[in-house]
Amino acid sequence: MANAQSDALVFFGATGDLAYKQIFPALQGLIRDEGFNLPIIGVAKAGWNLDQLKARAKDSLEHHGGIDAAAFEKLIGLLRYVDGDYNDEATFAELRKQLGEARRPLHYLAIPPSLFGTVAENLAKAGAAENARVVVEKPFGRDLKSSQELSATLHQYFPEAEIYRIDHYLGKEPVQNILYTRFANPVFEPIWNREHVRSIQITMAESFGVEDRGKFYDEVGTLLDVVQNHMLQVLANLTMDPPTGEDHDAVRDRKAELMRAVRPLTAYSVVRGQYQGYRSVPGVAPGSNVETFIAVRLHIDSWRWAGVPIYIRAGKMLPVTCTEALVEFKRPPRETFGELVPNTSAHMRMRVSPDIAIALGVRVKIPGERMAGRDVELDLHSQAVEDMPPYERLLGDASRGMNELFSRQDLVEAQWRIVEPILGNVTPVYSYAPGAWGPEEANQLIGNDGPWANPVVQPQGA
Ligand code: BG6
């Protein structure tokens, strides 16, 4: 079964938002780029028919990525639809019928986690879970315990090796490139540790608010929406040890070791913020204390990273939309030229979005008599956009049984362990103006390890 190509793709939640924004574009891409040619069956409880789903697919592609006439026509030809309640066995009997000859389906559960158990059980009863793979979306649990329960539920019907937990950041080209650049260039490895690194900062800034996702967002907040998953994955790629051996799980093994070495957060290492106006977003509780911004200070208890402060901040309604990691190297041990070399001069900057970049910050001499310098950045790599959207890469990988870019149970649990102590509004939430870099308290958190390096984003076309 390992690595066999799935012979059908089923997606639950076919009429929902995720299908609209991500799954249809990914499917069209897979058909266009990889000749994907298998029955694609949407399942939902919407009272729809196949023509309505086809119309939805068209609308989705018109708004997300554009229609590719040939691939779209094939997609429409491959599409099937099953309408029905997830509690009703008849829905699954119909699904089994639509699966026809398929014996190794891939089931994508683009539905709330509370329904995973019901759907998995009914798939099994209908004989559609055997030799199947299952793809699930974040959030994978709300804390360590619920995450373990969710895994236990799925394990009743699917072995761990057939469970594909999506964290779409893992499917991003520049996130993989962090790992690639580190381990394809041995020159970096000797300086990638506490001897040379002063601090690490990761910023995930979004200039928009929670908009029509008020209800969802108010249940999770920034910590669970993007830090517990996406940001910790970026951190792992930045700081993990090199994978060894041929084992296809080598990367995930090293990553899990790293996650386990991250010290759980405490209230002293967190600043939460909420943008002014958040409480009047539809779906948000009027007195909500949920954060739309968070800054945390982390430590990795390993020989490589002991004593190196790591800062992550993420938030909505910040000045720009940009995700970027900055590894700051130490300053010279003494001022050879009588000038104070800034803390920020020597660094490696890895930008994940909106454009892709890897740059090395160095100090060079200003021409003239004085031995004085200025900071410049050597652009090692820059690229306008991603080649392959994350969902296309991830769905393609899952359909081929390649699970390296998916989160494993032990990894997810290690991630929960890190954030668990600060769950549930245990620290104050400070207000900030839309368009600010979060509340002032975030600057106090970083203190002498700062300042925060605010990403600069060039206007498009500049
Ligand atoms: C999602 C979060 O997982 O990631 C969103 O739920 C966030 O709140 C999004 O905006 C960011 O993803 P990307 O790929 O646009 O950086």
Side-chain angles (χ1 to χ4, degrees):
M1 168 65 185
N3 294 345
Q5 173 73 45
S6 298
D7 56 5
L9 189 144
V10 180
F11 61 117
F12 292 83
T15 58
D17 207 44
L18 190 72
Y20 184 75
K21 291 188 179 148
Q22 304 286 0
I23 302 179
F24 287 120
L27 290 171
Q28 179 183 267
L30 284 166
I31 292 169
R32 182 193 54 219
D33 304 335
E34 301 189 18
F36 220 54
N37 184 20
L38 34 102
I40 298 172
I41 307 168
V43 186
K45 187 196 173 192
W48 285 21
N49 58 31
L50 179 57
D51 284 339
Q52 282 167 295
L53 191 71
K54 288 179 178 171
R56 176 81 164 174
K58 183 159 182 272
D59 193 48
S60 145
L61 291 163
E62 278 165 358
H63 289 92
H64 299 280
I67 292 198
D68 174 312
F72 178 70
E73 203 187 306
K74 283 197 191 125
L75 171 63
I76 291 301
L78 294 169
L79 209 56
R80 316 261 180 282
Y81 180 62
V82 175
D83 193 87
D85 196 301
Y86 299 147
N87 285 299
D88 186 353
E89 288 181 22
T91 308
F92 295 80
E94 176 60 21
L95 171 62
R96 184 61 261 179
K97 210 165 104 198
Q98 293 287 344
L99 279 168
E101 296 296 299
R103 290 291 170 266
R104 296 184 309 279
L106 174 75
H107 300 293
Y108 187 160
L109 310 189
I111 51 177
S114 54
L115 294 170
F116 287 177
T118 313
V119 169
E121 184 184 345
N122 282 327
L123 281 172
K125 281 188 185 157
E130 210 178 316
N131 291 327
R133 301 186 172 118
V134 64
V135 177
V136 293
E137 271 292 329
K138 78 170 184 84
F140 205 77
R142 290 296 156 110
D143 52 19
L144 180 59
K145 187 163 170 284
S146 57
S147 163
Q148 287 167 332
E149 286 166 0
L150 217 48
S151 286
T153 303
L154 286 175
H155 287 158
Q156 290 176 35
Y157 312 100
F158 299 94
E160 176 64 22
E162 307 303 345
I163 300 174
Y164 293 74
R165 296 178 187 81
I166 286 201
D167 179 323
H168 80 281
Y169 263 60
L170 285 176
K172 283 180 184 264
E173 177 69 28
V175 172
Q176 287 190 282
N177 207 3
I178 294 176
L179 208 60
Y180 186 86
T181 306
R182 285 189 56 206
F183 299 135
N185 299 285
V187 67
F188 296 124
E189 185 57 13
I191 58 169
W192 218 254
N193 55 46
R194 58 194 293 266
E195 301 299 334
H196 295 276
V197 175
R198 184 179 81 89
S199 74
I200 296 178
Q201 290 188 27
I202 306 174
T203 297
M204 177 182 181
E206 294 180 311
S207 61
F208 46 88
V210 303
E211 275 125 31
D212 54 353
R213 300 165 77 219
K215 187 169 180 307
F216 161 79
Y217 203 88
D218 210 40
E219 286 171 13
V220 290
T222 317
L223 179 66
L224 300 197
D225 188 38
V226 299
V227 176
Q228 186 268 351
N229 34 62
H230 307 330
M231 292 301 96
L232 289 180
Q233 291 288 353
V234 172
L235 176 66
N237 279 8
L238 266 180
T239 56
M240 64 184 258
D241 282 344
T244 48
E246 301 289 305
D247 185 350
H248 75 283
D249 249 353
V251 171
R252 298 200 296 182
D253 289 345
R254 290 293 92 78
K255 225 177 236 190
E257 270 166 24
L258 184 280
M259 293 286 190
R260 280 196 294 271
V262 177
R263 205 181 296 165
L265 286 162
T266 67
Y268 301 107
S269 43
V270 178
V271 168
R272 297 192 306 134
Q274 188 187 78
Y275 67 79
Q276 287 149 20
Y278 171 73
R279 290 179 186 175
S280 41
V281 172
V284 170
S288 171
N289 281 327
V290 166
E291 78 280 357
T292 59
F293 170 96
I294 194 163
V296 300
R297 179 177 49 236
L298 290 156
H299 289 280
I300 301 175
D301 289 324
S302 67
W303 274 44
R304 188 197 277 268
W305 295 116
V308 178
I310 296 167
Y311 292 89
I312 296 180
R313 70 182 161 158
K316 303 275 186 201
M317 286 291 194
L318 302 188
V320 294
T321 297
C322 181
T323 297
E324 179 166 287
L326 194 77
V327 175
E328 291 194 321
F329 299 112
K330 287 187 175 167
R331 304 176 54 250
R334 63 178 291 271
E335 305 298 349
T336 312
F337 305 110
E339 65 160 0
L340 192 73
V341 173
N343 262 334
T344 44
S345 295
H347 63 250
M348 180 128 160
R349 189 168 62 82
M350 295 168 162
R351 179 170 287 190
V352 170
S353 70
D355 51 318
I356 301 176
I358 298 183
L360 209 51
V362 292
R363 191 132 175 109
V364 296
K365 185 176 170 307
I366 300 170
E369 285 176 17
R370 285 181 54 230
M371 292 295 268
R374 67 189 171 95
D375 294 338
V376 294
E377 261 199 354
L378 311 176
D379 208 348
L380 303 186
H381 169 72
S382 57
Q383 187 185 318
V385 280
E386 288 189 43
D387 286 344
M388 186 184 272
Y391 274 85
E392 181 178 333
R393 182 189 307 250
L394 293 172
L395 271 185
D397 273 11
S399 76
R400 286 185 291 268
M402 289 164 59
N403 53 17
E404 186 178 311
L405 295 182
F406 295 84
S407 211
R408 225 170 42 187
Q409 182 184 5
D410 57 334
L411 264 155
V412 172
E413 289 178 8
Q415 287 165 252
W416 279 118
R417 214 191 89 264
I418 298 166
V419 302
E420 187 110 308
I422 56 157
L423 293 179
N425 300 335
V426 295
T427 58
V429 65
Y430 302 102
S431 144
Y432 62 96
W437 281 103
E440 177 49 34
E441 284 76 5
N443 292 325
Q444 291 159 22
L445 179 78
I446 199 165
N448 289 338
D449 294 328
W452 287 107
N454 295 333
V456 178
V457 178
Q458 302 299 336
Q460 283 217 320

